[in-house]
Amino acid sequence: MRRLTNLELLLLALLHTQPSSGYSLRKSFATTPLGHYSDSPGSIYPALERLRCRGLLRPLQEKLATRRRRQLFSITAKGLVELRSWLKRPITREEVQHDIQGLMLRYVVCAQLSGNASARTLVLQLGTRLQETVLELESYLRGPGKALPVAGRLAVEQGLEGYRALARWTARAGKELKRSSS
Amino acid sequence: MRRLTNLELLLLALLHTQPSSGYSLRKSFATTPLGHYSDSPGSIYPALERLRCRGLLRPLQEKLATRRRRQLFSITAKGLVELRSWLKRPITREEVQHDIQGLMLRYVVCAQLSGNASARTLVLQLGTRLQETVLELESYLRGPGKALPVAGRLAVEQGLEGYRALARWTARAGKELKRSSS
DNA sequence: CGATACATGTAAGAAGTTACATGATTGT
DNA sequence: ACAATCATGTAACTTCTTACATGTATCG
């Protein structure tokens, strides 16, 4: 079965904090800068439908005070299992290179669902993967990367710089989370 | 007419450094960590075809020493115009929030095409937009953001942290580019 | 002779975007 | 009465992904 997209995981995480309607979920996205998650109906409603089909969320019947329809959804036990298994999945270098945004989302959700201690474990693991990625790129630049055209080399170096900055951030976040979880 | 995607712009930039085949462009991507640009044939070949249709690149006829077919492409004058107009486009806050990767790509290409002085201008402009974004988010958190659920608040704060880190980087890059361009 | 690298492409399907459609409720 | 906001959805289109198909050249 297909892996959940970051959007779907974010929807589940938000539904975990409280049952919500598609409309209110959309509104939260308009201000959330944790990567770009569209607030367009064309992405949210189909995503909610996919999650419902997989049994990860369930519509709540609401006694409607007004005639304006409004569908609240709540996460199911199965949805929660899915969410927790995502949080526990080991971080891969592949993810570091291709889905930093997803990892950041995971960190935020982890802190909220499992607490600061778990978030700290995650963030330290991310730091380790980042260091590995940095070493890999450095050794690449010293070796085969020398043959790269100028543009390619600059691109690699810029990527490297980004990973270093993120690695420093994980170190600081790790320390702060230690204080607040002990 | 549709805006060029980051992938298409990257292809043009690489073709600007030297005429290349689809295959060799794919290979460069496998190692480029400047965001994720797929090295799958299903993305590169159609993208090259789109660029050809728009007259931004042109196939070079190569006298084939062997019978193995190999199509080299080179950027056209029109393609170069498109590339330069992209580099000159003012950075918007929208871009900062939704397409950091594209901005990073632009910075790298700018440094290569137009030199360190232009890259410095761009990076300083990015710094300004980042500061604005940071201020905007800070004031949001002090105001309406107080009503956010915990998860939402953490998400905003994490995004904020990312923008601050990037802002520090632009400051440093600006200084380094000043030294190397003067 | 078989494996690997070179080289280009297509087909099916997933996901997101923009734009449109629809209708109820609230505020002025 | 009208506009704005609440609320859900669909249709067309674009792009990317994965997987497959095809064939050449090289190396051991």
Side-chain angles (χ1 to χ4, degrees):
Chain A
M1 184 151 255
R2 215 200 68 239
R3 240 194 3 220
L4 293 174
T5 64
N6 287 334
L7 173 62
E8 287 164 343
L9 289 162
L10 175 53
L11 288 172
L12 284 184
L14 289 172
L15 287 178
H16 177 256
T17 73
Q18 61 179 342
S20 315
S21 67
Y23 187 80
S24 71
L25 290 167
R26 280 178 58 204
K27 292 296 121 175
S28 338
F29 288 9
T31 45
T32 296
L34 214 206
H36 175 45
Y37 299 101
S38 166
D39 68 333
S40 79
S43 63
I44 273 79
Y45 291 109
L48 287 171
E49 178 57 16
R50 289 195 300 271
L51 291 169
R52 194 194 57 72
C53 285
R54 290 172 71 151
L56 306 182
L57 57 76
R58 153 186 72 232
L60 286 182
Q61 62 278 41
E62 208 191 0
K63 40 184 180 215
L64 289 175
T66 69
R67 226 171 321 153
R68 180 192 279 172
R69 66 178 169 162
R70 179 157 181 272
Q71 188 55 257
L72 288 186
F73 294 100
S74 114
I75 192 170
T76 61
K78 198 174 164 192
L80 196 53
V81 166
E82 200 73 26
L83 209 47
R84 289 197 193 284
S85 103
W86 170 56
L87 294 179
K88 273 186 296 203
R89 201 159 70 205
I91 297 178
T92 62
R93 249 175 284 176
E94 223 281 329
E95 255 176 309
V96 167
Q97 287 174 26
H98 295 334
D99 192 23
I100 284 287
Q101 241 171 47
L103 287 173
M104 283 308 173
L105 175 62
R106 204 160 135 191
Y107 160 70
V108 170
V109 173
C110 184
Q112 194 228 341
L113 242 89
S114 316
N116 284 345
S118 298
R120 180 162 182 266
T121 306
L122 191 68
V123 102
L124 293 180
Q125 198 193 345
L126 174 57
T128 307
R129 284 304 145 276
L130 282 165
Q131 279 166 40
E132 288 166 8
T133 307
V134 165
L135 288 176
E136 193 180 290
L137 282 177
E138 282 171 347
S139 106
Y140 170 76
L141 280 176
R142 278 193 309 270
K146 285 189 172 176
L148 276 181
V150 193
R153 190 173 177 84
L154 278 168
V156 178
E157 278 168 3
Q158 170 53 34
L160 191 53
E161 203 45 47
Y163 292 136
R164 286 201 191 106
L166 205 54
R168 284 194 296 272
W169 173 81
T170 59
R172 208 176 60 244
K175 270 179 216 158
E176 281 175 26
L177 288 168
K178 187 173 189 178
R179 266 195 288 123
S180 58
S181 65
S182 63
Chain B
M1 183 150 259
R2 217 201 67 241
R3 213 133 95 181
L4 294 174
T5 64
N6 287 335
L7 173 62
E8 287 163 344
L9 289 162
L10 175 54
L11 288 172
L12 283 185
L14 289 172
L15 287 178
H16 177 256
T17 72
Q18 61 179 341
S20 314
S21 67
Y23 187 81
S24 71
L25 290 166
R26 279 177 58 203
K27 290 297 120 173
S28 339
F29 288 10
T31 45
T32 296
L34 215 206
H36 176 45
Y37 300 101
S38 165
D39 68 334
S40 80
S43 63
I44 273 80
Y45 292 110
L48 288 171
E49 178 56 18
R50 290 195 299 272
L51 291 169
R52 194 193 57 74
C53 286
R54 290 171 73 151
L56 307 181
L57 57 76
R58 154 187 70 232
L60 288 182
Q61 62 276 42
E62 207 191 3
K63 40 181 179 215
L64 290 175
T66 69
R67 226 171 321 151
R68 180 193 281 170
R69 66 177 171 165
R70 178 157 182 271
Q71 188 55 257
L72 288 185
F73 294 100
S74 114
I75 192 171
T76 61
K78 199 174 165 194
L80 195 53
V81 166
E82 199 74 25
L83 208 47
R84 288 198 193 283
S85 102
W86 169 56
L87 294 180
K88 273 186 293 202
R89 202 158 70 206
I91 298 179
T92 63
R93 248 175 285 177
E94 224 280 329
E95 255 177 308
V96 167
Q97 286 173 27
H98 294 334
D99 191 23
I100 285 286
Q101 243 171 47
L103 287 172
M104 283 309 173
L105 175 63
R106 204 161 135 189
Y107 160 70
V108 170
V109 174
C110 184
Q112 194 229 341
L113 242 90
S114 316
N116 284 344
S118 299
R120 181 164 180 265
T121 306
L122 190 68
V123 102
L124 293 180
Q125 198 192 345
L126 174 57
T128 307
R129 286 302 147 275
L130 282 165
Q131 279 166 39
E132 288 167 8
T133 307
V134 164
L135 288 175
E136 193 181 290
L137 282 177
E138 281 171 348
S139 108
Y140 169 76
L141 280 176
R142 279 194 308 269
K146 285 188 172 175
L148 276 182
V150 194
R153 190 173 178 83
L154 278 169
V156 179
E157 279 168 2
Q158 169 53 33
L160 191 51
E161 202 45 46
Y163 293 136
R164 287 199 191 107
L166 206 54
R168 285 193 296 274
W169 173 81
T170 60
R172 208 177 59 244
K175 270 179 215 157
E176 281 176 25
L177 288 168
K178 188 173 190 180
R179 266 194 289 123
S180 58
S181 64
S182 62

